[in-house]
Amino acid sequence: MDPNSRKDTPQSLKEGKKTVEQGTRIPKVRRNLLAEWTDTLLSLGLGESMLRVGTAILSLILIVAAIWLMNIFNEQVPLTARIRPALAAAPTATPSVDPSLIPPPMDTSISGILRLAVPRTNIPTRPRQDIVKYTVQSGDSVFAIAEKFGLEPQTILWGNYTTLADDPHNVQVGQELIILPTNGIYYEWLGDISFEDWAEFFGVTAQDIIDYPGNHLDPDKIGDYVNPNIEKGTWLIIPGGRREFTTWYAPIGVTREDPATARAWGPGACGPISGGNIGYGTYVWPAAKHILSGYDYSPESNHWGIDIDGETGDPIYATDAGVVVYSGWNDYGYGNMVMIDHGNDWQSLYAHLESIWVSCGESVGQGQTIAAMGSTGKSSGSHLHFEIMHGTYKVNPWNFLPPP
């Protein structure tokens, strides 16, 4: 036996077996699940769709991350150092640009509500101080003109006595009227009495007239208020002044109890009337329409009845039963007129009629047709001027007629 040969010992055998086992062991392969899942989707034809979905999700993640980073940066930078894109992009201001027109900073730290400057500012209209002239248009009335200029109707009359003579029915198309800048009177100073007494007659003081800017008077040159240095014949605005109207309307008092007063009425006045119908004490509308044509009951404007709208020829009805005490022409501006006495000191008046269908002394019933509507006398258009009177006082017809 060769001494160089190695004798297998139990230990050597055991190590050799271990070596053989290690040399022959098959290494374990690790599975790639993502690759297998991708291969499966590709085999099913869904690879392109998954690629699009993945791209969208990645884009969304990047956008959210960018916004998050911007917020962090914005919170760390002071408010005064932040860039305002709207102002940063604007060109450098030049002398032609009004600095007040540049929008203020929109910092949330500023309390209150900010408002941009407006290039054009509406300046409130200053009160008028001088007289203006107005040409009467079709459809105008004293009331409409006064409303147009923000005045009281009586101011239109008191400013135009030479044209209107205190009669609102004298307004005619084409007339040129004086429009005062304030409510009051326009009157000529004739110098025949003390200026203080003259002012007191209109319910104001001499100082009120002299100090009013529209009169263009110099207080330092006026001198004594009793005999002021104001040229005679000067027309002056009397602000807040008032006066009584000149009586232009027909006298009242034609009744069965006192017929003699009819002598003051003119051609249409009836003689003494006795007997006849007595009214019920209630009233109906004297025309088909129950609306105004422009003039209302206004003692302040010297208008003592209501003007009811309508067309020429429309029927006029007796507002209550009674007897006719006036039928014909009237010389005081009413034109063709009818007056009915209802007894107990009550009368009704119908003016500017086109034609009259009743005669003196005739008894009429409530609602009976007595005339046709027209525009005779001092009238600017077809309508019925209607009055109700009790004794010597002209009452407001609205208080006695039924609702329109």
Side-chain angles (χ1 to χ4, degrees):
M1 191 173 196
D2 187 358
N4 296 326
S5 62
R6 186 182 63 181
K7 185 178 180 179
D8 295 330
T9 63
Q11 180 68 26
S12 62
L13 291 174
K14 187 179 294 186
E15 291 177 357
K17 184 178 180 180
K18 182 177 180 181
T19 301
V20 172
E21 290 176 355
Q22 290 177 349
T24 59
R25 182 180 297 173
I26 300 173
K28 187 177 181 180
V29 179
R30 182 176 298 176
R31 295 177 61 187
N32 191 336
L33 296 179
L34 178 61
E36 293 179 2
W37 183 64
T38 304
D39 291 340
T40 302
L41 292 176
L42 290 174
S43 64
L44 295 175
L46 299 177
E48 185 177 352
S49 298
M50 292 304 298
L51 181 61
R52 293 177 180 177
V53 172
T55 303
I57 293 175
L58 180 59
S59 299
L60 180 61
I61 292 173
L62 292 175
I63 292 172
V64 172
I67 294 175
W68 178 66
L69 292 174
M70 290 179 64
N71 288 336
I72 293 177
F73 174 77
N74 198 40
E75 291 176 357
Q76 293 178 352
V77 177
L79 290 175
T80 56
R82 295 181 189 176
I83 298 177
R84 300 182 182 89
L87 295 181
T92 304
T94 62
S96 61
V97 178
D98 187 350
S100 65
L101 302 182
I102 300 177
M106 300 303 293
D107 291 339
T108 56
S109 62
I110 301 177
S111 61
I113 300 175
L114 298 178
R115 183 170 57 186
L116 298 179
V118 180
R120 298 178 181 176
T121 303
N122 293 326
I123 301 175
T125 303
R126 294 179 175 84
R128 180 167 55 90
Q129 295 181 344
D130 293 318
I131 290 172
V132 297
K133 298 293 184 67
Y134 176 75
T135 301
V136 178
Q137 308 295 318
S138 177
D140 274 342
S141 66
V142 167
F143 296 92
I145 297 172
E147 183 177 1
K148 184 178 298 184
F149 289 93
L151 300 171
E152 296 175 348
Q154 54 267 35
T155 295
I156 304 300
L157 295 174
W158 288 334
N160 297 274
Y161 179 79
T162 57
T163 303
L164 301 179
D166 280 355
D167 184 353
H169 287 104
N170 280 341
V171 173
Q172 302 293 330
V173 174
Q175 287 175 332
E176 188 176 71
L177 299 181
I178 293 172
I179 307 299
L180 300 182
T182 186
N183 286 314
I185 298 172
Y186 194 48
Y187 217 86
E188 184 181 13
W189 165 245
L190 298 177
D192 50 354
I193 62 174
S194 163
F195 191 75
E196 289 181 327
D197 292 342
W198 187 73
E200 185 179 357
F201 174 79
F202 298 112
V204 299
T205 66
Q207 194 74 44
D208 294 331
I209 301 174
I210 293 172
D211 289 345
Y212 186 70
N215 288 323
H216 306 288
L217 299 176
D218 186 352
D220 296 333
K221 297 180 180 180
I222 293 300
D224 185 8
Y225 283 4
V226 175
N227 186 22
N229 186 23
I230 300 176
E231 186 178 353
K232 295 181 180 180
T234 301
W235 284 83
L236 297 173
I237 299 171
I238 305 173
R242 312 187 75 83
R243 65 170 175 78
E244 295 294 329
F245 288 107
T246 301
T247 302
W248 63 269
Y249 50 84
I252 302 173
V254 179
T255 67
R256 280 166 282 182
E257 291 77 14
D258 188 15
T261 56
R263 291 177 298 179
W265 285 76
C270 302
I273 304 296
S274 59
N277 289 350
I278 299 295
Y280 301 103
T282 60
Y283 301 89
V284 299
W285 277 86
K289 293 184 178 180
H290 301 170
I291 58 176
L292 294 178
S293 66
Y295 289 89
D296 202 351
Y297 177 81
S298 177
E300 298 84 2
S301 304
N302 206 27
H303 194 262
W304 298 87
I306 61 175
D307 289 350
I308 303 174
D309 194 19
E311 304 296 333
T312 299
D314 286 353
I316 302 301
Y317 312 108
T319 189
D320 194 6
V323 63
V324 177
V325 293
Y326 194 104
S327 177
W329 185 260
N330 174 266
D331 292 328
Y332 295 89
Y334 286 90
N336 289 326
M337 188 187 82
V338 168
M339 185 173 179
I340 299 175
D341 186 274
H342 308 290
N344 298 319
D345 249 3
W346 288 93
Q347 304 91 35
S348 58
L349 182 149
Y350 315 77
H352 308 307
L353 305 172
E354 177 69 17
S355 57
I356 298 174
W357 300 344
V358 292
S359 57
C360 282
E362 181 177 344
S363 288
V364 296
Q366 188 178 57
Q368 177 180 331
T369 302
I370 59 174
M373 185 178 293
S375 184
T376 58
K378 293 180 178 179
S379 172
S380 58
S382 186
H383 69 281
L384 171 67
H385 177 83
F386 175 69
E387 298 178 2
I388 296 178
M389 295 158 283
H390 185 242
T392 59
Y393 183 70
K394 298 187 177 185
V395 300
N396 188 346
W398 292 108
N399 296 333
F400 297 89
L401 293 174

